[in-house]
Each structure stands twice: as structure tokens, then as C-alpha cells.
Amino acid sequence: MSVNIKALVAAAFLLSLVLIVNGAIPGYLSPTTGQVFWLLGFSKAFVNSTSVYSYNFGLPSPAPLSFGLSAALPAAVLLGAGVSLVNAYAVLFAGWLSVAFAGAYFLARYLEAGVLASLFAALIWCSFPMITQHHLFCALALGMALLPLYFWSCMRVVFSERLSLWSSAWLVVITIVAAFMDGYTFMMFATGTAIICVCECVKRRRSARVDLIYRAATITTAFGVAYGLYALYEGTPTLAPVELDFFRGWAANVEFFFIPTKMVLALPDLLNLSVERAQGDYFGDYTVYQGTFCTAIAGVAAYGLVTVKGNRFWLVAFGLIALFGFYMALGPTVKFFTYRPPNGPTIMPAEYGWFPTGSAVISKYLPGFNNMRASYRWAVVAIFGCWAVFVVMMASGKLSTDAKAALVAFLFMFNIPNPHQFSEAKRFHDLVQDVSDEVASWDPYFADGEKVAFLPYRNDFLINYVAADLNIKTYNIGGDKNLEWAVGDWPPEMAAFQQGAISPDFESNVRSLLKSRKADAVVLSYTNMMLGAYVWPFDDDDKDQLLPIARKLDADSQFHVVFAPHFATVRLADNLQAGG
């Protein structure tokens, strides 16, 4: 076997491990559920309208995708080609993970690690729990996985002997992908790039200043173009400012970095090194502690910073990136074994913490940073910095082959998910298939293109797919940012409803909405259309309250009601289009 063939075989094998660990196996495993319906609902809507906006949900204005367009567009191609929903999502995820694996490999090679060492480094990167435990957020997880590709693209501009048109154009493309993939990781990319550029300026402070200006201008242009295109697409909608207590609540406790959570990683569970954590015991939610454990890679990086004598520039640059990531992940106030009081809020007032970190100024006043309310997510920047230091160690020539193999084995063993994660990925696959089959059975109850309001409205993740698959139009939409933007444009008859509530005037509001003819039909959904994207069979929790309302409306000759297992559709009697 030639060296190249051996490398290709190793790459194929290690990439297959990456896909298995991430639950991205078409036809068998799915990384998650809820985001499948949310994101691919947009993809299906794009196919319906041949547009990059949704005309199926989020009415009255065409709905832009708040994040994840870089993932939704390839998925639209797959859905347009007839690939099933669950397989389209798995293929999408597997495709971007393959790109991320390649990006991590290229960065390691750029840092002069060997071919096999670079392939194993890519395996380590793509299997970190900070990535595998964020599948719930799809584009966020993919953006995290793509960080090495982002930084490699930047480094080729900053450090190449000669600035080329090709590397500059490639950076522009990558920054656009990053901006439309996820806002968090776009800001992390920009921040890490700034740190690298400052380090290079300090290193070359006595020479080649004009050259550095050209390179800085190229990088600034790339980020400016990416942000400009994103703002043009989104229409620069404004969101309500987020209070600092949110940043505190969704910051990481210090112990989360050192003590893993039970049922996440196999080895710590086997060795009884992990602890059980309940969401109600901590501020924020379970994502704050689920993937932030990073003792193994942080310990290896710390050892490398102390022992490796060569490549000091890279060690300093990546060390600073890691330190900044850990600093921001702590949020405005240090939390160490800090617990949420019984029935307390998920956000955290400052008095519950130990002492301020000083990052409140950044989180409150700096544009971009003030929208990164889930502070703990900065941990992926810290993990990236530590991983890059590990790669520099592998490239230093100071380690024997056996030592490198031992390091890789050690790090990978601390990345292997608990077997429960694989059974969950299989359950996700089956759930997505079952729900998509159920939604397809709703088609006889609706007419193509009719305007429908699903009530009571919530952050309706499932609606995105329901509306797009049935090719109807609805005011409802999933995604907190998308919902906030949509509500501001709703007509008064739709805005009269309270989010998630069946109020005393609910029935009269239904009548008003239909009589205004601003909706052709109202769906009284027994199912919570947020939770319905995650649960099968559906829990019809609202049926006891909504069924009497549906029957009362049906008794009125002005209205016609059709009863389905999980909902009732209400129309004006003179406006029957489906199910009549």
C-alpha cells in the first residue's frame, strides 16, 4: 500500500467514526429531532417558493432564516431531489461534518503535523462533547465543528509568504458561510482572528508594516462583506436587549470544566468520575453543563505550553485564544458549585455568584458580543485553543510515535459518548420518520395555499415543517428570534391571542380572526407545536380545553368544524376549502 492510499483508508475510517459519534448515519441515526423540523421546514419552504425566504410560515412578511442558511440551502437541494426528511437531515449533517473534518486536518497540516497525526487530530476535534452535545441546535453544532476550517482560511491570509487572490477569495467565501451558519461561531471566528492578527503585529512590529495593512484590509473586507450580506438578507431586524442576568444564568460553573455530567461520556461514567445533574438545580438549562467538560484536552494543552520549546508563536496565540474562551464562558460573574434556589428563575442575579469577572462591560456594550447571551458557548473557543496547542505538540518533533499514539488514544477515550447517546440517535431517527408520516396524513384537512392560524401559538418548531410540507400559509413560526420578528407584523386579530395561553376571550378572538378573513382557517391544536417536534406519540395536553371550544363553534351555523385526532379546523361556513 502506498502512503497516499494508507492515508485515504485511514481518513475514511476515522471520518466514519466521526459520523457515528455524531449520530449522522443516513437511514439509521439522526443527530436530533426538533431542529430537523425547524430547519428543514425552511428548506422545504425554499423549494416551494424557489426563494431563500419562507412564504409558508411567519406571515405576513416573507420569513428569513435567523441562522443556519448555510445548512438549509443544501438540505433544500436534497428535499427537492426527493430525499426523505430524516435522511436529508442526516446527509446534511454528515456532509458538513466531513467538511469540518477536512478543515481540522488542513489546519493541523498547516501547523506541520504529519498526515496521520493530522487525521487523528481531526477525529479528536470532531468528537468533542461540546460539538456532539449541541446537535439540538444544528447550525450551532456545525459552526462549532467548522471553527478549524474558519481559522485555517484566515491563517492562510495572515501568514502566507505572499498574499494571493485565491486565499483572499477563499476567506471571503468562508466568512460568508460562517455568517450564514451561526452568529455565535461567526463572532468567535472574528474574535479569534483578531487575537491572531494582534499576535502577528506584535511579532512583526519592526518590519513589513505595509504588508500587514494589506492583509488586515483583506480580512476586514471579508468580514464586512459577510456581515453586509447577512444584514441585507435579514433586513437588520432589532431584538430586545438582553439583561446581564441572562448572561450569568447561561454561563458555565467552574466545576463544569472539570467534572463531567453522567450519561454523556462513556469512560467517565465507567470510572465513576461523572456526576448526575438536574436542570432544575442550576441556572440556565442543561446545555450549560452537558458538553463543557474539557479536563483532558485542557490538561494536555497546559502540559504542552510548559514543555514545548519551539513554535512559541503558535503556543502563545492559541493559548491566548483558549484563555479568552474560558474567560468569556464564565460570564459576568464567577459560579463555582453555584446552585439555583428551589423554584428560582433560570436567569441569575449577581448576588448568587462569587465575584465579577469584568466581562459584563463586553457583554453589555460591544456589538455582537451583547447578543451572545449563552455565555458558556465560549467554551468551544477555549477547547479549540487547547486542541490547537495539542496539534502544535504533535508537530513539534519532541514526541515519539508511541507518545503521540498514547495522547490520541487518551483524548479520544474521553470523547466517546455514553452508549445511551447512540440509542437516542436511533430513537431520533424513528421519531422524525413517524412525525413526518403523521404530518403527511394531515393533507386532506387543508387546501394548498390557504392561510391558517394554529392556536394557541407558541414558539412552534413543528409548524415550520407542517406548513411547508402541506404547502399552506400560516402566521405561526418556530424559532425565538423568528417569532419575535413575525409577531411585530401580525394583524391585530392575530396579535390579540396570548402566547401559549387559552385565555377567557380565546373563543371570541377565534371568531374575530375568521370573520376578518385574515385567516381562511383556524387550527385548534391539541398538541403543543413546540414540544411536538420532540415527542412521539403526540401529547394532546390542550385537548380538554380546546375540544369544548371547537364543539361550541361547530354548533354555530356561521362556522364549520372538522375534527381530527390531534386538532380541529374551524372555517367560516361560506369559506370551505378542505375537509368540508
Side-chain angles (χ1 to χ4, degrees):
M1 255 189 175
S2 70
V3 174
N4 288 338
I5 293 177
K6 287 181 179 179
L8 286 173
V9 171
F13 174 71
L14 296 178
L15 178 58
S16 67
L17 289 181
V18 166
L19 300 185
I20 292 171
V21 165
N22 284 275
I25 306 297
Y28 188 67
L29 303 178
S30 176
T32 189
T33 57
Q35 285 279 338
V36 178
F37 301 107
W38 179 80
L39 184 73
L40 269 63
F42 274 98
S43 300
K44 182 67 173 176
F46 296 164
V47 174
N48 293 343
S49 62
T50 320
S51 169
V52 291
Y53 293 89
S54 166
Y55 289 84
N56 288 111
F57 46 84
L59 298 181
S61 302
L65 181 54
S66 57
F67 71 98
L69 187 64
S70 296
L73 287 178
V77 174
L78 294 170
L79 292 175
V83 179
S84 69
L85 180 75
V86 65
N87 286 332
Y89 192 80
V91 170
L92 163 75
F93 222 89
W96 276 115
L97 282 174
S98 299
V99 174
F101 181 87
Y105 168 80
F106 288 133
L107 177 57
R109 291 290 290 148
Y110 188 86
L111 296 174
E112 299 182 347
V115 172
L116 285 179
S118 297
L119 289 171
F120 280 107
L123 168 69
I124 299 300
W125 171 257
C126 292
S127 59
F128 277 123
M130 197 63 186
I131 295 171
T132 62
Q133 295 304 306
H134 278 87
H135 293 160
L136 173 67
F137 303 102
C138 181
L140 172 64
L142 293 176
M144 289 177 173
L146 289 166
L147 281 175
L149 175 66
Y150 296 167
F151 284 108
W152 172 67
S153 304
C154 161
M155 289 158 57
R156 293 175 69 227
V157 169
V158 177
F159 301 111
S160 59
E161 291 186 8
R162 183 179 179 183
L163 184 61
S164 70
L165 181 62
W166 163 247
S167 60
S168 301
W170 176 255
L171 179 62
V172 172
V173 170
I174 290 300
T175 52
I176 292 172
V177 169
F180 283 95
M181 183 64 80
D182 169 68
Y184 275 90
T185 48
F186 178 73
M187 281 299 301
M188 294 169 183
F189 176 28
T191 303
T193 296
I195 292 174
I196 289 173
C197 288
V198 168
C199 289
E200 179 66 1
C201 286
V202 172
K203 176 185 175 184
R204 296 172 57 180
R205 62 187 179 275
R206 298 181 184 277
S207 63
R209 293 181 180 177
V210 174
D211 180 56
L212 280 176
I213 291 173
Y214 286 132
R215 295 171 192 264
T218 300
I219 293 169
T220 303
T221 299
F223 279 95
V225 167
Y227 177 75
L229 289 174
Y230 178 81
L232 183 66
Y233 170 69
E234 294 287 347
T236 58
T238 57
L239 296 172
V242 180
E243 55 186 318
L244 284 176
D245 287 354
F246 198 109
F247 289 85
R248 293 187 184 95
W250 266 261
N253 284 24
V254 173
E255 73 270 17
F256 295 165
F257 299 130
F258 304 104
I259 305 174
T261 301
K262 194 172 287 293
M263 299 300 290
V264 174
L265 298 171
L267 185 61
D269 286 353
L270 181 66
L271 299 177
N272 290 320
L273 299 176
S274 54
V275 298
E276 289 189 10
R277 293 186 172 112
Q279 179 168 302
D281 293 337
Y282 298 93
F283 293 99
D285 61 25
Y286 74 94
T287 59
V288 174
Y289 53 76
Q290 199 82 343
T292 40
F293 171 71
C294 55
T295 296
I297 188 63
V300 169
Y303 177 78
L305 289 171
V306 172
T307 60
V308 175
K309 303 303 181 184
N311 300 309
R312 296 309 300 176
F313 175 83
W314 292 123
L315 292 174
V316 169
F318 293 130
L320 289 174
I321 289 174
L323 286 174
F324 186 77
F326 281 123
Y327 172 68
M328 292 300 294
L330 294 174
T333 305
V334 170
K335 297 190 293 183
F336 184 60
F337 290 102
T338 300
Y339 297 96
R340 175 178 156 194
N343 301 316
T346 52
I347 60 175
M348 191 192 92
E351 58 265 25
Y352 285 100
W354 286 69
F355 53 85
T357 62
S359 68
V361 175
I362 298 174
S363 297
K364 187 173 183 179
Y365 296 109
L366 284 188
F369 290 90
N370 56 10
N371 291 322
M372 301 177 70
R373 55 189 184 176
S375 306
Y376 80 92
R377 291 176 182 173
W378 281 100
V380 75
V381 176
I383 293 168
F384 168 78
C386 293
W387 172 84
V389 170
F390 156 70
V391 172
V392 173
M393 290 175 61
M394 299 281 277
S396 66
K398 303 297 183 181
L399 298 176
S400 66
T401 301
D402 289 344
K404 291 179 182 179
L407 269 182
V408 168
F410 170 74
L411 291 175
F412 184 63
M413 283 192 299
F414 274 96
N415 282 359
I416 298 173
N418 182 290
H420 170 73
Q421 304 286 331
F422 299 108
S423 61
E424 281 292 276
K426 181 64 172 70
R427 183 180 69 84
F428 293 155
H429 172 275
D430 296 342
L431 186 150
V432 172
Q433 186 62 59
D434 289 342
V435 173
S436 59
D437 289 343
E438 170 67 25
V439 171
S441 74
W442 298 356
D443 188 65
Y445 296 96
F446 300 94
D448 279 0
E450 70 172 334
K451 189 179 294 183
V452 182
F454 289 78
L455 298 170
Y457 81 88
R458 296 178 173 88
N459 183 1
D460 296 315
F461 264 43
L462 188 58
I463 287 295
N464 290 15
Y465 179 68
V466 170
D469 191 55
L470 302 178
N471 198 22
I472 57 177
K473 301 180 185 298
T474 180
Y475 294 106
N476 305 70
I477 191 169
D480 53 358
K481 295 184 181 69
N482 288 104
L483 179 61
E484 187 175 339
W485 300 340
V487 168
D489 292 332
W490 281 355
E493 293 83 358
M494 181 66 187
F497 293 93
Q498 299 175 28
Q499 182 174 347
I502 304 172
S503 59
D505 56 356
F506 183 88
E507 180 193 333
S508 63
N509 288 339
V510 170
R511 293 173 180 269
S512 297
L513 179 59
L514 287 170
K515 288 179 178 180
S516 72
R517 299 191 182 270
K518 292 177 180 175
D520 300 312
V522 165
V523 173
L524 304 180
S525 176
Y526 309 150
T527 300
N528 181 317
M529 286 291 179
M530 171 65 173
L531 300 180
Y534 300 90
V535 177
W536 178 261
F538 289 143
D539 293 327
D540 293 330
D541 295 334
D542 292 335
K543 186 171 184 177
D544 290 343
Q545 289 180 274
L546 291 175
L547 188 57
I549 295 174
R551 287 172 176 162
K552 187 174 181 180
L553 290 168
D554 191 40
D556 188 330
S557 60
Q558 298 179 87
F559 302 96
H560 179 77
V561 181
V562 176
F563 295 90
H566 299 291
F567 58 87
T569 60
V570 186
R571 294 178 175 83
L572 289 174
D574 63 353
N575 191 32
L576 300 182
Q577 298 187 60

